[in-house]
Amino acid sequence: MIRTLLFVAVGTGLVITLRGMDLSHLWAALKVADWRWLAVAVLANVASQVTRAVGWNAMFTEFRIRFPLLVRIEFAVQAAAAVSPEGVGEFVRIGYLSREGVARSVTVTLMMVRKFFSSLGLVPFLVLICWPGSNVPGWAVAVTWMYAALLTVLSVLVVRVARTPSAPAREGRLRKIVFDARTALGPVRRPRVFAEVGAAALVTRALDLLAAVTIAKALDLRLPTAVLVLVLLSIEVSNVLPTLPGQLGTFEAAVLGATAGTLGQAEGLALALVLHAQQVLPQIPVGTIAMGNTSISRNRSKRDAS
């Protein structure tokens, strides 16, 4: 019921926001796109999938998983998330890593850790929003401070909870799951692992910002960098909402909300559509190929073992 209400709210908001918009203005805003800048944005998107795999590789201190396989899994997950209902992409990750001997509870725990670091990687760029003269609305500054405060609290919790526990005194499925989850968190406390995962998240976010900047240039939109950081923050916050495949609807609403007062309706929607397409469309063919290659590699290794 709540999920349905959220979908209705997002849809209603988009209808109200875009009511009366001249589609010819939207087409005019899209028609000026410089494909050279768009190509740079797509390359940044592809590179960001590799840096995400770097973060996963840093967390796997107890498992020896080949880095090329982690890259293929990342592309496969993103492709599945782009074309299927919410959460299916992460089930794909669980399935692939289970075949490599990683317990489901460990994968789920590390998914939450990676999401935390992904959010943490955006924090250094939030300085641009709070900087005097950034020309962003007051509500955006307030949301930024709340976001940073929440991540500070989560950082303390992760460091305090992330320690390798002793083996459970009694057997039981739930105790085993909790033990595996706590064990998976243990390496995160190590300064080297924390630094590597954090650096990978920071580079990933820098690539996301690079993609947003180049798309704004491609559309000839003279947007301050602070507004583009606000766009990324709005998209990040919208991720907590139930969404259609590929964040359809909530993504556009987040971008339109962040650029309201800075861009007109047509320009804001053009930015939202191109930025969304840049994030989703390249992942589908590359991820499909990655899924095929991963399956083939797995089948070959089984034949070689036999």
Side-chain angles (χ1 to χ4, degrees), residues 143 156 189 249 286:
V143 169
V156 174
R189 288 192 67 181
V286 177

Side-chain angles (χ1 to χ4, degrees), residues 10 13-19 21 26 139 227 230-231 234-235 249-273 275:
V10 170
L14 285 173
V15 170
I16 294 174
T17 302
L18 301 176
R19 184 176 55 185
M21 187 186 71
L26 173 62
W139 65 264
V227 174
L230 179 58
V231 167
S234 298
I235 294 171
T250 53
F251 188 103
E252 284 71 22
V255 176
L256 286 168
T259 56
T262 306
L263 294 177
Q265 286 180 325
E267 291 79 10
L269 184 57
L271 177 65
L273 292 175
L275 184 59

Side-chain angles (χ1 to χ4, degrees), residues 198-216:
L202 181 62
V203 174
T204 298
R205 289 308 194 166
L207 288 168
D208 291 341
L209 181 57
L210 173 62
V213 169
T214 54
I215 287 174

Side-chain angles (χ1 to χ4, degrees), residues 72-282:
R72 291 198 296 269
I73 290 174
E74 193 61 43
F75 277 109
V77 168
Q78 298 302 328
V83 299
S84 57
E86 183 185 9
V88 171
E90 298 305 340
F91 279 111
V92 171
R93 189 191 306 278
I94 292 172
Y96 277 125
L97 292 178
S98 294
R99 297 195 311 185
E100 301 300 319
V102 183
R104 293 183 180 88
S105 55
V106 171
T107 301
V108 172
T109 302
L110 293 181
M111 284 193 302
M112 292 187 290
V113 172
R114 193 209 64 82
K115 179 62 179 174
F116 158 72
F117 275 100
S118 176
S119 300
L120 198 63
L122 187 59
V123 170
F125 302 101
L126 300 183
V127 174
L128 296 173
I129 295 178
C130 301
W131 199 263
S134 61
N135 295 322
V136 297
W139 65 264
V141 176
V143 169
T144 299
W145 279 107
M146 288 189 292
Y147 182 83
L150 176 61
L151 288 178
T152 300
V153 173
L154 289 177
S155 298
V156 174
L157 290 176
V158 167
V159 171
R160 289 182 62 88
V161 174
R163 60 183 180 85
T164 304
S166 57
R170 290 177 292 176
E171 293 184 359
R173 182 174 179 79
L174 180 58
R175 291 177 182 273
K176 177 68 165 56
I177 291 175
V178 173
F179 175 75
D180 287 344
R182 293 284 300 280
T183 301
L185 277 172
V188 178
R189 288 192 67 181
R190 301 175 189 171
R192 181 184 63 80
V193 175
F194 198 100
E196 286 183 6
V197 181
L202 181 62
V203 174
T204 298
R205 289 308 194 166
L207 288 168
D208 291 341
L209 181 57
L210 173 62
V213 169
T214 54
I215 287 174
K217 285 185 174 294
L219 296 173
D220 197 24
L221 302 175
R222 292 171 175 79
L223 285 173
T225 307
V227 174
L228 293 173
V229 173
L230 179 58
V231 167
L232 296 182
L233 177 60
S234 298
I235 294 171
E236 180 74 11
V237 173
S238 73
N239 284 341
V240 304
L241 300 175
T243 64
L244 293 171
Q247 290 181 269
L248 186 63
T250 53
F251 188 103
E252 284 71 22
V255 176
L256 286 168
T259 56
T262 306
L263 294 177
Q265 286 180 325
E267 291 79 10
L269 184 57
L271 177 65
L273 292 175
V274 177
L275 184 59
H276 201 178
Q278 169 268 335
Q279 288 198 1
V280 174
L281 294 184

